[in-house]
Amino acid sequence: MVARLMLVDDHPVVRQGLGSFLALQNDLQVVAEAGTLADALELASTTKIDLVLLDLQLPDGNGLTLIPKLLALPEPPRVLVLTSFLEEDYVREAVRRGASGYLLKHAGTGLLLDGVRSALRGELPLDPGAVRLLASPVRDRLEPLTAREREVLTLLTQGLSNRGIADRLGVREKTVKTHLGNVFAKLGMRDRTQAALWAKEHGL
């Protein structure tokens, strides 16, 4: 199945280069491009899109503001931030608003492709620099987790469902739900996406 992508960046040369590279992949197709937030939202509202590659600095505002608007569409695409800015506040806010990952434009082609495909699978690809940036001040909050809870959290960040985690660990799905509930409570997390981010941050 070919995934349909939209590129949102105010530099035509960047869109052209990225589009040409992605066009070489048999499983990816760029079906829309936009240079502003307004154009991106309009295109996403009228075009079937699986994943948006979103820059943060655009002429009519910060790309972060577009994320919840895209996710509120009747058929919401996933949103992968692709930017030049590596700042803790940006990374945290992007994920908080529902981004499916955060990568840097200067990342290698292999990392970019892995990130795109990972985001399409529902995982949470993060640039290694973003992981280090986020992990340093909060490691102590993972200490309350038991070994099994960490194991469940690790499998969660690999994109496994509760049933998949249960099968991998040889336990009942109800047991997995209990472990995840404990993880959410101990880390002060609301949902699976936030928990997956923590697993990424701490190299689980």
Side-chain angles (χ1 to χ4, degrees):
M1 184 176 179
V2 178
R4 296 166 61 87
L5 312 181
M6 178 167 73
L7 309 181
V8 183
D9 194 293
D10 63 332
H11 292 95
V13 173
V14 173
R15 298 199 305 268
Q16 182 180 10
L18 186 57
S20 297
F21 169 66
L22 293 172
L24 299 175
Q25 314 306 314
N26 294 329
D27 57 335
L28 304 174
Q29 179 184 13
V30 177
V31 298
E33 298 182 15
T36 66
L37 299 177
D39 287 347
L41 184 58
E42 181 178 355
L43 283 169
S45 301
T46 57
T47 308
K48 169 59 178 173
I49 296 171
D50 299 307
L51 180 69
V52 175
L53 277 68
L54 176 65
D55 191 13
L56 294 184
Q57 296 299 322
L58 295 161
D60 53 345
N62 191 311
L64 291 173
T65 64
L66 182 63
I67 297 173
K69 295 177 182 178
L70 291 172
L71 298 182
L73 293 173
E75 295 186 52
R78 299 185 188 277
V79 183
L80 175 61
V81 172
L82 184 62
T83 182
S84 301
F85 297 91
L86 181 58
E87 298 182 15
E88 182 178 346
D89 289 346
Y90 279 174
V91 180
R92 289 191 183 280
E93 189 63 16
V95 174
R96 188 187 72 80
R97 296 188 183 213
S100 294
Y102 195 104
L103 297 180
L104 299 183
K105 289 182 179 180
H106 62 253
T109 55
L111 184 60
L112 174 60
L113 280 179
D114 287 346
V116 167
R117 289 168 177 149
S118 177
L120 286 165
R121 291 194 299 267
E123 300 170 8
L124 190 69
L126 293 174
D127 181 88
V131 174
R132 291 191 297 270
L133 191 68
L134 294 176
S136 55
V138 289
R139 290 186 181 278
D140 58 326
R141 291 183 61 185
L142 282 177
E143 292 181 2
L145 297 186
T146 66
R148 178 48 63 98
E149 288 166 354
R150 291 190 182 211
E151 195 171 11
V152 169
L153 189 53
T154 299
L155 295 174
L156 174 65
T157 198
Q158 295 174 11
L160 272 67
S161 63
N162 288 355
R163 174 60 63 84
I165 295 173
D167 292 344
R168 182 75 63 88
L169 298 179
V171 300
R172 296 195 305 170
E173 188 174 355
K174 183 177 180 180
T175 301
V176 172
K177 291 180 180 178
T178 298
H179 285 314
L180 284 176
N182 292 338
V183 169
F184 296 161
K186 290 179 179 180
L187 297 182
M189 301 297 175
R190 297 191 312 269
D191 52 36
R192 298 170 67 92
T193 298
Q194 281 193 320
L197 173 61
W198 273 83
K200 289 277 190 178
E201 289 177 1
H202 297 278
L204 297 182

